[in-house]
Amino acid sequence: MTTDVYYDPYDVDINADPYPVFRRLREEAPLYYNEPHEFFAVSRWDDVERGFANRETFISGRGGIIELIRANIAMPPGVLIFEDPPMHTAHRGLLSRVFTPKKMNALEPEVRALCARSLDPLIGAGRFDFVADLGAQMPMRVIGMLLGIPEDDQEAIRDGVDASLRTKPGQPMKPRAEGFVTGDAFAEYIDWRADHPSDDLMTEMLTAEFEDETGTTRRLTREEILTYVQVVAGAGNETTTRLIGWAGKVLAEHPDQRRELAENPALIPNAIEELLRFEPPAPHVARYVARDVGVQGQTIPEGSIMVFLTGSANRDDRHYPDGDRFDINRKVGQHLTFGYGIHYCLGAALARLEGRIALEEVLKRFPEWDVDWSGAKLSPTSTVRGWETLPVVTP
């Protein structure tokens, strides 16, 4: 189609509110090509879901970010989100033993206590920051607890992981020559745990046996464990932090629905699903095109980069009537925020648990708030989208 619509994942102005552009893409250019950055993009629900499911064509082994795919960096074993079968199957199977919904739900008392620890000192202060005071604290503590990272070291670890995702406004990420993911920051803890086993994820990874992609039964290498831990720490911190920030912003803009949640907390789990649909922390995912493929009546050549616009698909009116409207009572079903198919997010159960408990605990203490826009700032990264700071004023 002939259209002047332009989408650029690095454009600060577009990123501030990408949804008008997403809507135009769905209607005017369901298959879009960006010449400056040389990628294709699909924006409708059916195309994104179909693309996620087609793992033989749209492969993950070259990375899930435009810059990584183009840099053609060799990924260290253990970066689950950037692997294809059979290696992905072996590594995911090992980690899925840890991240079962049952095990995650058993963490509820600890997660609730961490929320209370963050929020109780703020009562009566008249203001707090959804990110600095809660979103950047609780998920970090939960992941640190799971991994066995001493509490005194958790903030430094989180800040290091966060810094690796930051970009200068309007610019792509610069992949490092030695690779995107290194677990060097965790080496000391892993070596300690090898001699001092405990009831945590690091110990479990050090001792677990699994069948690798060659059919060999073995334990993870030290390098694989370092990578695993880095991936878990990054995924567990950044995205849940963004979810909590979006809860503060969106519910401030919908005070009637916020009041409904405060009066009936049983609605909160569905509200979390609607928040995930409405403002996904990761609004786009890239894939390398491993073979020619037809999309929207055109052939995408092998060697291309395809970007799946999750944030657009989640608001496609063809799948969600009036998709740009936030509604805590919507029958959400399966959104695409956690992906689809073999790369469906392993941490989804934990993210849902943390989001639900965070919102329950906030609403118990602060049933009303307004955003202080003078201090609110979007995070400078092209890979996830959310708030760096979100200060609010409470009555």
Side-chain angles (χ1 to χ4, degrees):
M1 301 179 192
T2 302
T3 175
D4 63 352
V5 64
Y6 180 72
Y7 171 70
D8 182 340
Y10 312 114
D11 187 299
V12 174
D13 292 332
I14 293 175
N15 192 52
D17 181 12
Y19 297 106
V21 175
F22 285 167
R23 175 168 286 279
R24 286 193 64 194
L25 287 173
R26 291 194 300 271
E27 303 311 316
E28 300 172 30
L31 175 64
Y32 173 75
Y33 183 69
N34 178 293
E35 286 193 20
H37 300 295
E38 298 178 306
F39 67 83
F40 291 90
V42 289
S43 48
R44 292 180 180 175
W45 172 281
D46 287 347
D47 290 328
V48 173
E49 183 187 53
R50 193 179 299 120
F52 278 148
N54 188 354
R55 61 180 176 81
E56 293 86 4
T57 300
F58 303 108
I59 65 170
S60 301
R62 293 277 293 269
I65 299 167
I66 296 170
E67 301 92 308
L68 288 181
I69 297 173
R70 183 163 294 116
N72 196 19
I73 289 173
M75 295 293 163
V79 189
L80 282 179
I81 53 177
F82 300 154
E83 288 182 343
D84 299 306
M87 187 181 291
H88 173 268
T89 307
H91 286 153
R92 184 182 174 97
L94 178 59
L95 204 54
S96 65
R97 301 179 201 171
V98 178
F99 281 90
T100 64
K102 183 177 180 180
K103 285 186 177 180
M104 294 303 99
N105 288 331
L107 297 171
E108 177 159 345
E110 287 95 336
V111 175
R112 201 173 291 282
L114 289 169
C115 284
R117 177 173 147 189
S118 292
L119 295 170
D120 282 347
L122 305 170
I123 295 172
R127 61 186 298 119
F128 70 96
D129 191 311
F130 260 86
V131 178
D133 293 322
L134 180 60
Q137 296 296 322
M138 182 268 287
M140 168 193 70
R141 303 289 183 209
V142 173
I143 287 294
M145 176 181 67
L146 278 174
L147 289 173
I149 302 292
E151 192 162 299
D152 289 347
D153 299 340
Q154 289 172 358
E155 289 202 29
I157 292 289
R158 178 202 64 204
D159 292 345
V161 171
D162 286 358
S164 71
L165 295 171
R166 293 293 179 270
T167 56
K168 291 182 179 179
Q171 294 185 21
M173 176 189 291
K174 288 185 169 58
R176 298 193 302 272
E178 70 272 19
F180 176 60
V181 179
T182 63
D184 294 346
F186 300 96
E188 185 181 336
Y189 308 115
I190 288 172
D191 293 342
W192 168 261
R193 276 285 170 254
D195 297 325
H196 304 85
S198 181
D199 182 21
D200 58 41
L201 181 54
M202 275 198 212
T203 303
E204 193 154 343
M205 286 192 287
L206 282 161
T207 57
E209 291 192 341
F210 73 108
E211 186 177 299
D212 69 14
E213 68 277 11
T214 69
T216 304
T217 298
R218 64 177 179 88
R219 292 184 178 181
L220 288 169
T221 66
R222 182 175 182 274
E223 289 69 28
E224 285 173 322
I225 295 172
L226 284 170
T227 305
Y228 256 138
V229 172
Q230 174 83 358
V231 169
V232 170
N237 272 319
E238 184 79 13
T239 51
T240 310
T241 296
R242 303 296 160 233
L243 168 61
I244 291 170
W246 284 119
K249 188 259 188 185
V250 174
L251 290 174
E253 294 175 335
H254 297 84
D256 291 346
Q257 296 190 58
R258 180 179 61 195
R259 194 171 304 116
E260 195 175 349
L261 292 175
E263 292 170 355
N264 185 4
L267 298 174
I268 289 177
N270 195 69
I272 292 297
E273 296 305 310
E274 176 69 346
L275 280 163
L276 286 163
R277 178 198 74 84
F278 192 72
E279 289 287 10
H284 50 78
V285 178
R287 293 282 189 267
Y288 178 78
V289 181
R291 60 190 181 190
D292 291 0
V293 60
V295 178
Q296 287 286 335
Q298 297 186 50
T299 299
I300 310 301
E302 176 186 343
S304 301
I305 297 174
M306 174 63 79
V307 175
F308 298 115
L309 296 175
T310 311
S312 173
N314 275 349
R315 293 196 182 199
D316 189 348
D317 295 333
R318 298 162 186 80
H319 191 82
Y320 290 112
D322 200 4
D324 282 325
R325 179 174 57 87
F326 178 74
D327 180 5
I328 60 170
N329 294 299
R330 182 190 296 274
K331 292 180 180 177
V332 181
Q334 184 173 345
H335 50 71
L336 296 173
T337 298
F338 291 125
Y340 183 80
I342 65 167
H343 282 281
Y344 185 81
C345 177
L346 266 176
L350 179 59
R352 287 181 164 114
L353 176 79
E354 291 179 324
R356 170 177 65 81
I357 293 173
L359 195 48
E360 288 172 355
E361 296 300 313
V362 167
L363 288 169
K364 277 182 194 174
R365 296 163 177 80
F366 311 105
E368 296 180 17
W369 64 82
D370 292 306
V371 175
D372 175 6
W373 289 110
S374 67
K377 179 184 175 186
L378 277 171
S379 176
T381 167
S382 60
T383 51
V384 293
R385 179 172 174 269
W387 297 95
E388 185 88 355
T389 58
L390 193 81
V392 298
V393 178
T394 57

